[in-house]
Amino acid sequence: MEDVRPVWLLRAAWFLATLPIVAAWLPLPGLSWLRRGLLAFAKRGKILHSNTKLTVPQRTFTHFYAVGIFWTTTLLLAVWSYAIMKLPSPIEQDLSDITSRLHNSLSTREHVYNVWLSVFMLLLMEAQVLRRFYESIYVFNYSPSARMHIVGYFVGISYYIAAPLSLCCNFVPEVFHFVKNLVAEFTVKGSDPMPMPEFNIWMFVITPFLELRSYTWIGATIFLWGWVHQRRCHEILGSLRKKPENLGKYLIPYGDWFEFSSSAHYTAEIVMYGGLLVASGGADLSLWLLFAFVVANLGFAATITHRWYLHKFDDYPRNRWAILPFVC
């Protein structure tokens, strides 16, 4: 019970975070108060009223990605170390009976595979947070007046803790115990408390990833497709304010996926998390709930942005969708 409790707490958090967004997004009667409340917290930058209280500069987006890098890297190193030091490699699994080698009854062939799958997906997440951190510093030219609500700031920080955790939450209890024992042994015995297996890059890096299933590589391809297009869309947004005279202005973005979506960078984000879901095989409820939150949160924000564009610019392209063509 103790081992599954963190997983269900995380799933409950995603569900409770998604439910009010969906309720506010859908045109349901009697929920205008909820819609107004979420709008007050979700607005930022160009659509946030200048007299709104409890705001922070929008450039603090950098904090999200700094937290994301630290936490994703920590999880990646912990899970990867656990896979190397406590689980047999795929080659060893073929040479001996896994149940005779490990005392933990959970350490089946499928369990070993899923741990390495989590390592692979954490690597994809690492590529995402590293790029976003770079873009927040060198690509985006945030207007000095651009701000966001402080609630949105803390939601963003929480998101970049919970999202990477969702990629490996099924193994967190045992990885935590592994790290805790490793630290305890180091404290008692000094350096090199636990004998490290002889490192073989083929055995511990290449072979486990080569054994990933076809749907994982399809999902990774979808993720990278979205990753590339989000990078291009962010470059387009960043270029709108490269000229000093445009720093305080809001202009219409053109090019790449902006030709059919008002929030093309959000469209790309949904594609990326859809790729992670496909890569996982779709068997983990945690990733379904993470994906649902991403779609609801970005869809809600994109709808607000789309309406702002239509109201702000008389010449705004009317053929664009808010976020997903032929959907919304």
Side-chain angles (χ1 to χ4, degrees):
M1 180 64 68
E2 183 181 353
D3 285 349
V4 301
R5 191 179 303 158
V7 176
W8 283 103
L9 285 175
L10 182 62
R11 291 172 178 174
W14 284 128
F15 178 78
L16 293 175
T18 305
L19 188 60
I21 299 175
V22 173
W25 190 10
L26 298 176
L28 300 176
L31 293 178
S32 58
W33 59 272
L34 178 61
R35 196 171 298 111
R36 287 194 301 270
L38 284 180
L39 280 172
F41 297 142
K43 287 181 178 180
R44 59 176 179 259
K46 54 183 172 289
I47 58 177
L48 181 68
H49 296 302
S50 57
N51 60 348
T52 303
K53 298 180 180 179
L54 297 176
T55 62
V56 296
Q58 196 170 355
R59 62 177 179 272
T60 54
F61 261 68
T62 306
H63 299 176
F64 299 170
Y65 313 125
V67 169
I69 290 172
F70 171 78
W71 184 234
T72 303
T73 303
T74 299
L75 290 174
L76 176 61
L77 293 176
V79 178
W80 208 334
S81 299
Y82 170 76
I84 290 175
M85 299 176 69
K86 297 295 287 185
L87 300 180
S89 71
I91 295 176
E92 290 174 321
Q93 291 182 69
D94 295 335
L95 296 177
S96 62
D97 181 11
I98 187 173
T99 57
S100 66
R101 292 180 54 83
L102 296 175
H103 299 294
N104 190 343
S105 61
L106 291 176
S107 297
T108 62
R109 186 180 185 88
E110 190 69 16
H111 174 70
V112 174
Y113 174 85
N114 287 331
V115 172
W116 281 106
L117 174 61
S118 290
V119 171
F120 182 72
M121 291 196 295
L122 284 168
L123 283 171
L124 295 178
M125 178 63 76
E126 184 87 333
Q128 171 68 352
V129 293
L130 284 171
R131 177 178 59 80
R132 295 299 300 272
F133 182 74
Y134 170 84
E135 290 172 342
S136 68
I137 297 175
Y138 297 107
V139 175
F140 286 112
N141 297 298
Y142 293 113
S143 170
S145 61
R147 303 184 71 83
M148 62 178 168
H149 200 282
I150 195 168
V151 171
Y153 174 82
F154 286 114
V155 168
I157 293 291
S158 301
Y159 174 82
Y160 279 98
I161 294 174
L165 188 60
S166 298
L167 303 180
C168 60
C169 59
N170 293 316
F171 319 111
V172 164
E174 58 201 86
V175 172
F176 173 77
H177 289 305
F178 161 74
V179 173
K180 184 175 70 173
N181 293 335
L182 195 64
V183 172
E185 289 192 29
F186 183 87
T187 303
V188 173
K189 300 179 181 179
S191 60
D192 199 22
M194 185 180 293
M196 277 287 292
E198 183 179 350
F199 186 77
N200 183 316
I201 190 171
W202 183 268
M203 182 180 296
F204 292 124
V205 179
I206 299 177
T207 300
F209 293 157
L210 287 179
E211 293 204 355
L212 293 175
R213 292 161 189 161
S214 57
Y215 58 73
T216 298
W217 292 108
I218 293 173
T221 302
I222 295 172
F223 176 90
L224 293 174
W225 179 49
W227 191 94
V228 168
H229 280 283
Q230 188 176 65
R231 180 183 63 81
R232 292 175 181 171
C233 291
H234 284 166
E235 287 178 347
I236 291 171
L237 290 174
S239 68
L240 295 179
R241 294 202 190 97
K242 279 188 175 180
K243 296 181 179 180
E245 61 269 23
N246 293 335
L247 190 57
K249 296 180 180 179
Y250 290 101
L251 306 173
I252 301 175
Y254 291 94
D256 203 71
W257 286 0
F258 280 113
E259 296 304 314
F260 58 80
S261 172
S262 293
S263 297
H265 50 314
Y266 290 168
T267 307
E269 186 106 354
I270 290 176
V271 169
M272 283 187 290
Y273 280 92
L276 288 176
L277 184 60
V278 172
S280 72
D284 189 350
L285 178 60
S286 302
L287 288 177
W288 279 103
L289 292 171
L290 167 60
F291 181 67
F293 174 82
V294 169
V295 173
N297 183 51
L298 296 183
F300 183 69
T303 301
I304 301 170
T305 302
H306 185 65
R307 291 172 183 168
W308 183 89
Y309 274 128
L310 292 173
H311 176 75
K312 177 73 173 179
F313 301 102
D314 293 333
D315 59 341
Y316 190 75
R318 302 288 164 167
N319 62 326
R320 292 188 186 181
W321 296 76
I323 187 167
L324 296 175
F326 308 108
V327 178
C328 65

